[in-house]
Amino acid sequence: MTTANECVVAIYVDRTSHQWVVRDADGRLWTLTSIKQSWENRQPFIPNDETELESVPRHYKAVLGLPY
């Protein structure tokens, strides 16, 4: 896992699983939970054939408590 200071470069929502997904500066995808400190509790995200990622505006970083 990476450090909490790592920059999140993109935020998505997976329309099939209704999960928040973020891409870090290294290109890795992570799912977030709806709890406080969601970045610290993230899990690796592995897309499949049914995954539908939709881009979300960057201002959601504050809502999700993500590092800048």
Side-chain angles (χ1 to χ4, degrees):
M1 191 168 295
T2 57
T3 65
N5 294 330
E6 185 168 343
C7 179
V8 172
V9 296
I11 306 170
Y12 305 94
V13 64
D14 179 9
R15 291 296 179 189
T16 56
S17 67
H18 305 286
Q19 293 181 307
W20 293 106
V21 177
V22 296
R23 182 170 42 91
D24 66 20
D26 293 325
R28 293 178 295 230
L29 295 172
W30 304 92
T31 58
L32 301 177
T33 58
S34 296
I35 63 170
K36 284 191 173 211
Q37 301 174 335
S38 61
W39 183 247
E40 289 81 7
N41 293 292
R42 67 194 181 277
Q43 297 294 315
F45 178 76
I46 301 170
N48 59 39
D49 292 339
E50 297 176 4
T51 300
E52 293 181 34
L53 294 181
E54 182 177 319
S55 184
V56 174
R58 292 178 59 89
H59 68 267
Y60 274 80
K61 281 184 174 184
V63 173
L64 296 170
L66 297 174
Y68 287 85

